[in-house]
Amino acid sequence: MTLPEASATSRRNFPASIDIVIPSYNEAATLPITAPAIIEFLQMVIASEGASCRLRLILVDDGSRDETWATICALTREFPEVTGLKLARNYGHQNALLAGLAHANAEVTISIDADLQDDLAAMGSMIERYCEGAEIVFGVREERTADRLFKRATAIGFYRFMKAIKIDLVHNHADYRLMSRKAIEALMRHDEANLFLRGLISTMGFSTAVVTYDRAPRIAGETSYTLRKMIGLALTGLLAFSTIPLRLIAITGLIASLISLCVAFWVIASTIFNRAYIVPGWASILLPISLFASLQMLSAGIIGEYVGRIYLEVKRRPRFLVDRVESGAETSNEAAQPRA
Ligand code: UDP
Ligand code: MG
């Protein structure tokens, strides 16, 4: 391992190599703009530092249904910096990102979306923070007026909820971040199938820093984060990092038992002291039955979510399979990847 504290505090040189990972699903319209923009920007940064640095863009095609792979292949021919990674099918944003990170081997790796909603200029500050000693630099969206109201409201609700149940997330940080080689290696030692990278990385420790930027609208194309995908990600984030929902079930069960005990006393007392009162009491029967039945179903559902996730973890299926790798003139068929 590296030196303990000294390396975290002393200033580092500009990184000798930078990998940029871009998960892409149906991004044929954005990649021809995004890839050259990133290359141009970083080459400018590298030149202004007078540094010698190997730059590589890893474009991960997450089983797109449009011309994304053909676009990536064209980009690899046009730019020697571009490497294309074609996944065997659509694995979702988090797994596509992991596939790219697993492929990266540079001194620092930056992950960014294909749509340039995240400000490129922040990359310069991220590298600066890295040179100051940070192992992980989180890009944080300061202003998100460019997002639709619905997206904004759901995102704000999500971060508030996570905070309320004590899941340690960097507020308003998505997956725009810089990670050092050490941090990537640490991440790769995590083996979980239910991936919520921003939660996982927040729990890793290391010296971290934050860079803020304003979020822009997509340069082209449509968001592929449908409501269903957003709920899926939020559920993974919640269930993979917290057992509080299970505890809530237990607490609700306790309260429900206390209430039913009171009802039982009331029924007994009514039967003894006021027989007539209990006769028209259909409501007092129906209400608890429906209430408790629905509570039981809800509880079974929450437990079921955890059991389902345990099931997926236990199977230890690969989190992604790489179909092809393309860089410059080279093309290769990749066999099934290890568990990355
Ligand atoms: N993405 C992916 N696989 C998916 C869905 C999305 O790799 O199944 C990529 C997408 O191409 C983009 C990033 O994840 O680079 C974020 O997606 P998007 O911009 O659609 O989400 P939003 O910014 O609206 O949250
Ligand atoms: Mg986007």
Side-chain angles (χ1 to χ4, degrees), residues 113 115 117 215 218:
D113 288 351
D115 52 16
Q117 284 195 280
R215 189 157 156 95
R218 263 182 163 265

Side-chain angles (χ1 to χ4, degrees), residues 19 101 106-111 126 130 134-137 177-188 201 204 206:
D19 278 340
L101 296 179
E107 186 179 332
V108 305
T109 302
I110 302 177
S111 51
M126 285 182 181
Y130 169 78
E135 301 290 339
I136 304 170
V137 186
R177 78 178 79 80
L178 176 147
M179 295 178 81
S180 69
R181 189 72 230 134
K182 186 159 67 170
I184 297 263
E185 275 165 15
L187 174 67
M188 291 306 155
I201 292 167
M204 283 186 353
F206 294 119

Side-chain angles (χ1 to χ4, degrees), residues 155-282:
I156 291 171
F158 174 66
Y159 285 106
R160 288 228 175 109
F161 178 69
M162 290 303 209
K163 196 169 174 191
I165 61 166
K166 308 254 179 312
I167 295 180
D168 194 17
L169 284 185
V170 177
H171 188 69
N172 261 343
H173 160 70
D175 287 296
Y176 185 24
R177 78 178 79 80
L178 176 147
M179 295 178 81
S180 69
R181 189 72 230 134
K182 186 159 67 170
I184 297 263
E185 275 165 15
L187 174 67
M188 291 306 155
R189 291 178 58 189
H190 293 73
D191 229 10
E192 44 212 271
N194 292 292
L195 262 193
F196 184 59
L197 286 171
R198 64 193 84 153
L200 203 56
I201 292 167
S202 303
T203 65
M204 283 186 353
F206 294 119
S207 52
T208 61
V210 164
V211 162
T212 56
Y213 64 94
D214 291 342
R215 189 157 156 95
R218 263 182 163 265
I219 46 165
E222 280 290 314
T223 174
S224 43
Y225 257 99
T226 52
L227 181 61
R228 201 168 66 98
K229 280 192 182 178
M230 280 198 283
I231 292 174
L233 184 69
L235 261 185
T236 303
L238 171 62
L239 301 179
F241 285 89
S242 170
T243 47
I244 285 186
L246 288 177
R247 190 168 308 154
L248 283 182
I249 292 178
I251 293 171
T252 316
L254 193 72
I255 294 171
S257 326
L258 288 177
I259 294 173
S260 46
L261 209 66
C262 294
V263 173
F265 277 126
W266 174 67
V267 169
I268 293 167
S270 306
T271 318
I272 296 169
F273 300 115
N274 184 6
R275 273 175 179 278
Y277 184 64
I278 200 79
V279 178
W282 60 271

Side-chain angles (χ1 to χ4, degrees), residues 22-27 60 62 90-93 96 112-115 117 141 151 215 218 222-225 229:
I22 311 179
S24 315
Y25 178 66
N26 296 344
E27 300 284 4
V60 184
D62 184 21
N90 178 247
Y91 285 89
H93 176 217
I112 185 169
D113 288 351
D115 52 16
Q117 284 195 280
R141 302 155 176 173
K151 179 102 196 171
R215 189 157 156 95
R218 263 182 163 265
E222 280 290 314
T223 174
S224 43
Y225 257 99
K229 280 192 182 178

